[in-house]
């Protein structure tokens, strides 16, 4: 085994461990905290689950494929298709989050009336089924067939026409463009709404509306950052596949760049938990508790608990659209 293989397997192992631990903490935090059990975090949980499975399943399988295993053709196609599967679930989850933020900010009355936890869970089921179907297309026959020496490798069994024309252009690039358009539209709406809210600040209702609106905006900003990082991490490998497919052997992307791009794409699953904590103090608080850096409210006095309960109740009353699930 050469130095590049050892380095790749080592980095994939590190990515797998960090991704598993970080995203497991996200799921535990949502399960532990009633305040985090909102419609938005329902989709975040789906994204975290997909990222955690990248750490548990995709990283080890990618390392296995890198050294040419397994020698069984269908097994090789399957482990390489799984990589695409979880990527697709992540993209669909991000798209669902973008649409949810659009409804909450742009048409809040429609959102309050129609966006329920049951519908969110139903949408998640559709997301995972769609991701599984798109990701496992090579298993249904759109592949390159068994390689002559039966050495497993992504580019030797996965048809690049499927990766470029079907997966990248159809189910990666199009959703990314839609999401960026949604967040740009949200930004434009925010600028208009802030001008209107500024005129109402002197009134109590105006201040309440501003607090609620700013909370929605903060959530949209942090999720837009998650989308931006996802794009930065995943575009290099897709662009490299596109260049290699269109140019052929004459102008292919260097192999070390391909390896680096694969590692960066998988590393995206490690970064997301930090972004959730950065954009949400409740996530940060739960993470600190799990890391034993912050003790539960045992040190609070009875009066502190009463005040905290009143504040939490008031926040829940002010944000009816954030239905718990």
């Amino acid at each position: 085994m050469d130095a590049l293989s050892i380095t790749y397997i080592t980095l994939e192992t590190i990515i797998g461990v960090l991704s598993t631990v970080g995203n497991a903490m996200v799921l535990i935090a949502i399960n532990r905290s009633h305040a985090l059990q909102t419609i938005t975090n329902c989709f975040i949980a789906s994204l975290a689950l997909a990222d955690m499975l990248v750490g548990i399943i995709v990283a080890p399988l990618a390392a296995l494929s890198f050294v040419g295993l397994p020698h069984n053709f269908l097994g090789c196609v399957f482990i390489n298709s799984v990589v695409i599967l979880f990527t697709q679930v992540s993209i669909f989850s991000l798209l669902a989050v973008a649409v949810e933020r659009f409804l909450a900010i742009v048409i809040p009355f429609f959102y309050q009336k129609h966006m329920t936890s049951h519908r969110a869970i139903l949408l998640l089921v559709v997301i995972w089924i769609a991701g599984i179907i798109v990701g496992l297309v090579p298993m249904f026959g759109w592949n390159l067939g068994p390689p002559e020496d039966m050495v497993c490798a992504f580019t030797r069994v996965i048809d690049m026409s499927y990766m470029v024309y079907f997966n990248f252009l159809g189910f990666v690039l199009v959703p990314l463009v839609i999401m960026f358009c949604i967040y740009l539209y949200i930004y434009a709406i925010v600028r208009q709404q802030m001008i209107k809210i500024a005129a109402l600040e002197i009134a109590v209702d105006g201040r309440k509306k501003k607090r609620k609106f700013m909370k929605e905006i903060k959530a949209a900003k942090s999720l837009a950052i998650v989308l931006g990082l996802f794009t930065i991490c995943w575009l290099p490998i897709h662009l490299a596949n596109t260049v290699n497919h269109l140019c052929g052997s004459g102008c292919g992307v260097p192999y070390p760049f391909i390896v680096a791009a694969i590692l960066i794409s998988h590393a995206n699953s490690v970064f997301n938990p930090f972004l959730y904590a950065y954009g949400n103090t409740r996530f940060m608080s739960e993470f600190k508790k799990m890391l034993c850096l912050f003790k539960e409210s045992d040190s609070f006095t009875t009066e502190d608990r009463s005040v905290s309960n009143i504040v939490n109740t008031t926040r829940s009353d002010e944000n009816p659209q954030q239905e718990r699930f």
Side-chain angles (χ1 to χ4, degrees), residues 111-298:
Y111 177 83
Q112 293 174 24
K113 182 178 180 180
H114 297 284
M115 196 61 187
T116 64
S117 59
H118 296 294
R119 288 176 178 171
I121 292 172
L122 179 61
L123 180 56
L124 287 179
V125 172
V126 173
I127 285 172
W128 278 84
I129 292 175
I132 291 171
I133 292 174
V134 173
L136 294 184
V137 163
M139 289 293 296
F140 304 146
W142 196 348
N143 56 60
L144 297 177
E148 293 182 1
D149 53 6
M150 284 311 299
V151 175
C152 182
F154 188 90
T155 55
R156 302 189 68 179
V157 296
I158 301 297
D159 193 335
M160 283 297 109
S161 62
Y162 156 77
M163 284 299 301
V164 174
Y165 301 121
F166 183 78
N167 181 253
F168 176 50
L169 295 181
F171 291 98
V172 175
L173 191 60
V174 170
L176 286 178
V177 170
I178 293 173
M179 284 184 274
F180 275 108
C181 289
I182 287 174
Y183 282 114
L184 285 175
Y185 186 77
I186 288 175
Y187 175 73
I189 293 297
V190 166
R191 294 190 64 182
Q192 296 175 9
Q193 292 296 324
M194 290 305 294
I195 295 173
K196 295 179 181 178
I197 290 174
L200 296 173
E201 277 192 359
I202 57 173
V204 175
D205 289 342
R207 288 195 295 270
K208 287 183 178 180
K209 288 180 180 179
K210 183 178 181 179
R211 282 198 301 270
K212 186 165 67 174
F213 187 69
M214 292 305 296
K215 186 176 181 180
E216 302 287 6
I217 296 307
K218 184 179 179 181
K221 284 182 179 179
S222 61
L223 294 170
I225 294 173
V226 172
L227 170 61
L229 183 63
F230 181 91
T231 304
I232 292 171
C233 289
W234 279 98
L235 272 186
I237 186 61
H238 281 290
L239 292 176
N241 288 336
T242 302
V243 170
N244 283 338
H245 181 65
L246 296 179
C247 292
S249 58
C251 57
V253 177
Y255 183 65
F257 178 86
I258 296 288
V259 174
I262 293 172
L263 288 170
I264 292 171
S265 66
H266 293 172
N268 175 248
S269 301
V270 178
F271 301 141
N272 283 340
F274 296 100
L275 295 179
Y276 303 148
Y278 172 77
N280 191 312
T281 55
R282 286 172 177 163
F283 267 121
M284 177 67 78
S285 176
E286 288 298 323
F287 289 169
K288 286 181 178 179
K289 292 174 186 177
M290 282 183 274
L291 294 172
C292 301
L293 297 177
F294 182 82
K295 291 186 177 180
E296 190 84 46
S297 54
D298 293 338

